[in-house]
Amino acid sequence: MSQQTARRGGAAWALVITSVAGFMAALDNLVVTTALPSIREDLGGGLHDLEWTVSAYTLTFAVLLMFGAALGDRFGRRRLFIVGLTVFTGASAAAAMAPGIDSLIAARAVQGAGAAVMMPLTLTLLTAAVPVAKRGMAYGIWGAVNGLAVASGPLVGGTLTEHISWQWIFWLNVPLGLALLPLARLRLAESHGTGAPLDVPGTLLASGGLFGIVYGLVRGPADGWTSALVLTGLFAGGALLVGFILYSTRAKNPMLPMRLFRSRAFSGINAASLLMFLGMFGSIFLLSQYMQGVLGYSPTEAGLRMLPWTGMPMLVAPIAGILADRIGGRPVVAAGLFLQAVGLGYMAVVATADASYVSQLPALIVSGVGMALFFAPASHLVMSSVRPSEQGIASGANNALREVGGALGIAVMGSIFAAQGGYETGQTFVDGMRPALVTGSAVVALAGIAALLIPTRRRTDRQAQSAEAAPVLETAAH
């Protein structure tokens, strides 16, 4: 190994760079939530516009993640990581300067596209740089930093909105991005995947299908569920997703090989991830508005009061990663999901138009511990469920399904909220939020059941060893 390669490929540098980049992408999932009332007051718009302010990011993030991972495998992971980081940083500046709600939504969509290229490559670059024996700890630290983004998202958004302006939740990314760009160029080692051709038809089918479904769910409450555009979006989106699955089973080099889902470990953790993010994102979207619009907290106060929930990953995720190394990821992930479900259900019970913070605190703590137990072990389970050459695809698929879950969660729970309540009074808001939180709790409980389908640690290890040995045996046979 040359001195330059050693300098570039250092595990410590890889951990710092990928963790900070992951922090930026994860932060922008939630940093907007506590700023939504201020954005609504400043730029106007209804419930569906607020949903798109969040969902425009999560949706483009979701539908382009696997394509972004494939681009990295094909043209160089470090090179495409730098491209994604550049796009993300530029779009953040555009969002900060947006003159209206439509231009803000457009900038958020471009932000999501940049994050879609950048984010899946963080885990791939980290995995390539860290020795196998230390990956559990590395994933734990990476998960803790992402947990810090989740924790600080509502608080950072609330503080900047209250004391400066909501535009600064986007300006914050610019200096971080500009600092990371030269470090990534100098300190990360270049690597490639299988070099398979890009799957443009698969990307178009998946992107069109997901956009149609989320569009229908977001517009349904405002336009009516029987309106032509809503029905077209839902049915056309569903048809395109079915087409994507059928195409991917027959294509020579699909963006998402369906054969990966034959693995119980891969299928179980991805189903759990999608359902967990569906329940969590939809709940945070409503709860951040509830704390400000109903209980009367300022943006900063709302962010601080959500810390027992969103802040737990920062504290518990490293411990969860070490625990998963010792007893396996399945029990840790499943326990975390069931705790999250209990917390959301409890919140639905105690939420009133004049609820005290003390009555909500147990629900926030239980949900926070549950979310913390999920993050790091889930990443480890994903990366260990496939052979090394497919880790880029696996990372992209898992992140995509998480973001799909987030976009669907906001759309589904926003629809339930709109059908049962509204913004007219505190009581009407609570009337809409309660059934939405119950739905979120049930969905996260289903995620816990999906996690129990993952094989035990011993079986997963044997599968991973077999997957790694398969290419060697095949080469020897030839």
Side-chain angles (χ1 to χ4, degrees):
M1 180 184 292
S2 69
Q3 185 176 356
Q4 184 182 23
T5 304
R7 175 173 60 86
R8 281 185 167 175
W13 275 114
L15 180 59
V16 170
I17 295 168
T18 59
S19 294
V20 174
F23 173 89
M24 293 168 64
L27 182 74
D28 270 64
N29 267 322
L30 292 177
V31 73
V32 176
T33 55
T34 44
L36 288 174
S38 297
I39 292 173
R40 184 184 182 201
E41 181 179 349
D42 193 8
L43 300 182
L47 174 64
H48 64 278
D49 293 309
L50 296 182
E51 291 181 33
W52 276 117
T53 302
V54 181
S55 294
Y57 179 84
T58 57
L59 187 58
T60 53
F61 195 0
V63 301
L64 296 176
L65 267 166
M66 289 179 285
F67 192 61
L71 284 172
D73 287 347
R74 173 87 177 190
F75 297 109
R77 290 161 178 161
R78 184 190 67 187
R79 180 183 302 168
L80 265 294
F81 174 81
I82 291 172
V83 170
L85 180 58
T86 302
V87 171
F88 180 87
T89 304
S92 297
M97 296 184 290
I101 191 70
D102 292 335
S103 55
L104 174 60
I105 292 171
R108 289 280 288 163
V110 178
Q111 255 193 320
V117 176
M118 175 179 72
M119 186 66 172
L121 298 178
T122 60
L123 265 182
T124 312
L125 289 166
L126 181 61
T127 301
V130 177
V132 175
K134 296 182 179 179
R135 284 178 187 166
M137 182 182 299
Y139 292 145
I141 296 172
W142 182 89
V145 175
N146 277 265
L148 176 61
V150 174
S152 59
L155 178 58
V156 168
T159 301
L160 291 175
T161 298
E162 182 177 351
H163 297 291
I164 308 178
S165 71
W166 63 262
Q167 285 87 350
W168 278 91
I169 65 179
F170 301 114
W171 283 125
L172 181 66
N173 291 323
V174 176
L176 287 175
L178 292 176
L180 279 186
L181 284 169
L183 287 176
R185 177 68 181 84
L186 295 171
R187 297 294 182 177
L188 291 177
E190 185 61 281
S191 64
H192 295 77
T194 59
L198 297 176
D199 182 14
V200 176
T203 301
L204 293 176
L205 286 169
S207 302
L210 291 170
F211 179 82
I213 289 175
V214 173
Y215 177 86
L217 290 171
V218 169
R219 294 298 308 178
D223 295 348
W225 292 103
T226 58
S227 70
L229 283 176
V230 170
L231 290 176
T232 299
L234 293 174
F235 284 107
L240 287 172
L241 286 183
V242 171
F244 169 71
I245 294 172
L246 293 175
Y247 165 82
S248 298
T249 59
R250 300 175 183 177
K252 185 177 181 180
N253 295 293
M255 177 176 64
L256 178 58
M258 291 294 126
R259 59 180 170 75
L260 294 179
F261 290 96
R262 297 173 189 167
S263 163
R264 277 176 54 198
F266 187 81
S267 296
I269 190 57
N270 278 289
S273 296
L274 185 147
L275 294 169
M276 188 272 193
F277 272 65
L278 195 158
M280 180 189 73
F281 267 74
S283 301
I284 291 178
F285 175 76
L286 293 173
L287 284 170
S288 61
Q289 297 180 71
Y290 164 71
M291 287 191 171
Q292 293 178 68
V294 178
L295 300 183
Y297 297 125
S298 70
T300 302
E301 290 170 340
L304 284 170
R305 281 163 173 77
M306 291 183 73
L307 275 178
W309 181 9
T310 59
M312 281 296 172
M314 180 176 59
L315 301 175
V316 182
I319 301 172
I322 295 171
L323 190 63
D325 282 342
R326 294 185 177 179
I327 66 173
R330 183 182 77 160
V332 180
V333 166
L337 290 168
F338 288 124
L339 284 174
Q340 174 91 312
V342 169
L344 289 177
Y346 187 89
M347 178 62 74
V349 172
V350 301
T352 63
D354 58 353
S356 68
Y357 181 64
V358 173
S359 67
Q360 303 169 55
L361 190 57
L364 294 170
I365 293 174
V366 171
S367 294
V369 172
M371 186 164 63
L373 291 176
F374 171 84
F375 278 127
S379 299
H380 202 170
L381 284 170
V382 171
M383 301 304 274
S384 63
S385 67
V386 298
R387 64 186 65 181
S389 63
E390 295 173 330
Q391 286 178 338
I393 296 173
S395 173
N398 182 253
N399 278 283
L401 289 170
R402 289 185 182 192
E403 298 304 319
V404 167
L408 289 176
I410 292 169
V412 169
M413 295 173 71
S415 297
I416 294 171
F417 168 81
Q420 302 293 324
Y423 288 100
E424 293 80 12
T425 66
Q427 189 57 50
T428 57
F429 193 99
V430 172
D431 290 341
M433 185 181 71
R434 274 182 167 172
L437 291 180
V438 170
T439 302
S441 174
V443 168
V444 177
L446 286 177
I449 295 172
L452 292 177
L453 299 177
I454 300 171
T456 60
R457 177 177 178 173
R458 187 172 299 172
R459 286 190 59 190
T460 303
D461 289 345
R462 284 204 303 266
Q463 289 170 355
Q465 291 169 3
S466 298
E468 290 185 14
V472 178
L473 295 175
E474 185 176 339
T475 302
H478 287 290

